Amino acid sequence: TKIKEAIDGILGGGGNGDGETPAPPPAVKSFVAAGEWGGAMSAPVAEAMIRSKPDLIVGLGNYDSTETLFGPIVDKIKKAKIPAIWAKGADSDDYLTLFGQEEWELKYEPTDIVFCILNSANPTTLEDMLKTSTAKWKVVLLSSPPFSPSSKYGQDVTAQEKLIPILTKYKVNLVLSARNKIFARFIPKFGPNTTSGTTFCIVGTGSDKFDGAGSPNGATRIVIGKTAFLRCDIGSTMDCKLLSPQGAVLDQFTVFEWK
């Protein structure tokens, strides 16, 4: 699979005016993320994301029943001139045209942070993305969550088996997924202690339709029946909050560097 190193269009990339070197990605000191969009709450979530003035918007898949319905959301983001990257759920390739994104699997690396988007549990693709990265912070976006408390879509055992060795080898800080219409967070895994490792989160909170939860499967925080988005602010740590469109804090946690 070809790895897309820089994205034009809504990422604000493109050339330098003479058709030669693409512009570098803008610095990212904050980003917001959500998946499982659709329905009446998609617009309020997008508007709240925009109001929070992040450096990057991250879509986690399943945007609406058709790209036409999701078009007004993308228009709001483009009008705000905030770069965005989009992972795939059960979405058609027509969304790529809407997003101005070349493909579903890509590597996006601003200063000090890298985002790796996968469309399948392919360890070779993920390692190719990570092995050349010099970023302090590493974030992986997956179409299916390796760990999940949801009663609708359970844990992706294949992703666990194939990707965890790569996540551990390259000390990935944060793995984000959607697919389930809930929020769930797990304490850092596979590191030397419970603060140093990979934090796994499901952020399927972009609509007003919700799934239930089954067995916690180790989740330390589960939020059901709430529309929300995740905001992460990046400094010496990655400080994350799950926020309602009205600004209420529904969860708060810190992601640390691997030690």
Side-chain angles (χ1 to χ4, degrees), residues 16 48 130 162 189 259:
N16 58 7
L130 289 170
K162 292 185 175 182
K189 296 177 178 288
K259 302 297 184 184

Side-chain angles (χ1 to χ4, degrees), residues 1-4 103-106 117 120 122 125 128-129:
T1 302
K2 176 185 174 185
I3 299 172
K4 182 68 173 172
E103 55 192 329
W104 289 117
E105 292 194 325
L106 59 91
I117 305 181
S120 64
N122 189 324
T125 299
D128 286 346
M129 291 179 178

Side-chain angles (χ1 to χ4, degrees), residues 101-237:
Q101 184 169 297
E102 185 174 316
E103 55 192 329
W104 289 117
E105 292 194 325
L106 59 91
K107 172 183 175 182
Y108 180 59
E109 188 164 5
T111 304
D112 289 337
I113 187 168
V114 62
F115 296 86
C116 302
I117 305 181
L118 292 188
N119 189 27
S120 64
N122 189 324
T124 302
T125 299
L126 181 58
E127 183 154 28
D128 286 346
M129 291 179 178
L130 289 170
K131 68 184 180 183
T132 57
S133 174
T134 60
K136 173 181 176 180
W137 298 103
K138 299 177 178 69
V139 180
V140 172
L141 315 179
L142 300 177
S143 58
S144 182
F147 301 96
S148 172
S150 175
S151 58
K152 186 171 183 179
Y153 294 110
Q155 307 187 96
D156 189 334
V157 177
T158 299
Q160 290 181 25
E161 294 173 348
K162 292 185 175 182
L163 299 183
I164 284 171
I166 307 301
L167 298 173
T168 304
K169 178 179 179 180
Y170 293 98
K171 299 183 177 181
V172 169
N173 306 97
L174 181 64
V175 174
L176 298 176
S177 308
R179 198 179 187 204
N180 301 284
K181 296 179 176 65
I182 62 171
F183 172 82
R185 172 172 58 86
F186 296 78
I187 61 171
K189 296 177 178 288
F190 316 116
N193 53 56
T194 56
T195 61
S196 180
T198 302
T199 299
F200 292 80
C201 284
I202 298 170
V203 193
T205 53
S207 78
D208 53 2
K209 297 177 175 61
F210 311 108
D211 294 335
S215 169
N217 287 327
T220 190
R221 178 73 168 129
I222 302 171
V223 177
I224 300 173
K226 298 290 186 181
T227 302
F229 65 94
L230 185 69
R231 180 183 172 94
C232 298
D233 291 284
I234 304 160
S236 59
T237 59

Side-chain angles (χ1 to χ4, degrees), residues 13-76:
N16 58 7
D18 56 10
E20 295 181 359
T21 307
V28 172
K29 295 298 184 182
S30 63
F31 68 91
V32 293
E36 300 301 320
W37 299 75
M41 288 306 297
S42 284
V45 169
E47 289 162 1
M49 285 177 154
I50 292 167
R51 285 196 306 271
S52 73
K53 298 181 179 179
D55 295 321
L56 181 69
I57 289 176
V58 177
L60 297 176
N62 291 340
Y63 300 105
D64 213 322
S65 54
T66 69
E67 66 277 6
T68 302
L69 290 174
F70 199 64
I73 304 299
V74 177
D75 289 343
K76 290 177 185 290

